[in-house]
């Protein structure tokens, strides 16, 4: 039986010379673990992209330092939509935009002109749209979670729009 090896969390993800945000999004779409990159408003990398774990990536202190007003781009290998952690990150880091790349699409959260609403407000809106899906996690009915979550993207988009958050 052949073993599959995965990148060590925290190790560098090769972005290549002259790479921009759009090419990074394409390259991480089908990665088996999460990959994160921080970019400025015009798509230039602020920090070297790196690998995370299967369903999360922790930012370093240096990444947190440069994240404000930046664009955090990462993938969701499971194919899930944005989650609680994403909603907390946009507020805590005061990101201009958060991008979650999935195998069949891309989810984007953009900061409203007046700034992000409190994260507890965003999470309440998420719960109102997703309801029963909140307890499901990878390994606990992930296929069911993914199918139901994708059908509820519209209601989540509408709920977040009430607070001025652009989700597409």
């Amino acid at each position: 039986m052949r073993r599959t090896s995965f990148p060590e969390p925290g190790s560098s993800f090769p972005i290549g010379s002259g790479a921009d945000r759009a090419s990074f999004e394409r390259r991480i779409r089908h990665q088996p673990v999460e990959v994160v990159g921080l970019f400025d408003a015009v798509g230039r990398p602020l920090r070297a992209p790196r690998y995370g774990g299967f369903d999360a990536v922790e930012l370093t202190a240096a990444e947190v330092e440069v994240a404000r007003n930046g664009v955090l781009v990462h993938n969701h290998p499971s194919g899930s939509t944005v989650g609680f952690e994403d909603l907390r990150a946009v507020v805590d880091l005061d990101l201009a935009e958060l991008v979650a790349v999935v195998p069949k699409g891309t989810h984007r959260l953009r900061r409203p002109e007046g700034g992000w609403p409190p994260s507890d407000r965003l999470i309440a809106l998420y719960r109102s749209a997703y309801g029963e899906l909140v307890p499901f996690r990878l390994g606990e009915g992930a296929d069911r979670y993914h199918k139901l979550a994708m059908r509820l993207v519209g209601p989540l988009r509408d709920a977040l729009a009430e607070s001025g958050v652009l989700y597409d």
Side-chain angles (χ1 to χ4, degrees):
M1 179 179 201
R2 202 177 120 175
R3 295 184 120 182
T4 303
S5 63
F6 295 101
E8 185 69 29
S11 62
S12 294
F13 178 83
I15 191 167
S17 62
D20 61 3
R21 191 175 108 188
S23 63
F24 178 69
E25 288 181 24
R26 284 190 300 277
R27 292 190 56 215
I28 67 172
R29 186 169 304 283
H30 298 286
Q31 290 293 316
V33 296
E34 284 203 19
V35 180
V36 65
L38 286 165
F39 296 84
D40 66 14
V42 294
R44 295 178 300 231
L46 294 172
R47 303 292 294 176
R50 61 185 182 74
Y51 291 100
F54 287 105
D55 62 354
V57 61
E58 297 288 325
L59 295 183
T60 65
E63 289 167 333
V64 169
E65 189 70 30
V66 300
R68 185 177 174 151
N69 296 317
V71 179
L72 186 144
V73 179
H74 68 301
N75 63 323
H76 285 180
S78 68
S80 66
T81 62
V82 296
F84 289 159
E85 297 81 10
D86 296 320
L87 296 173
R88 284 188 186 101
V90 296
V91 175
D92 293 348
L93 300 172
D94 196 19
L95 298 169
E97 182 178 355
L98 179 133
V99 179
V101 178
V102 298
K104 295 183 179 179
T106 303
H107 301 275
R108 299 177 195 282
L109 292 171
R110 293 187 180 103
R111 180 175 54 206
E113 281 189 30
W116 293 105
S119 58
D120 59 341
R121 172 76 177 130
L122 293 178
I123 290 169
L125 292 169
Y126 181 95
R127 286 181 192 271
S128 73
Y130 281 83
E132 68 181 276
L133 300 179
V134 174
F136 288 97
R137 289 286 177 237
L138 198 59
E140 298 175 16
D143 289 339
R144 181 173 174 233
Y145 173 86
H146 174 69
K147 288 175 185 169
L148 290 171
M150 294 313 289
R151 280 189 291 203
L152 293 173
V153 166
L156 177 60
R157 183 179 298 119
D158 295 344
L160 292 173
E162 292 175 16
S163 290
V165 176
L166 301 172
Y167 176 25
D168 57 2

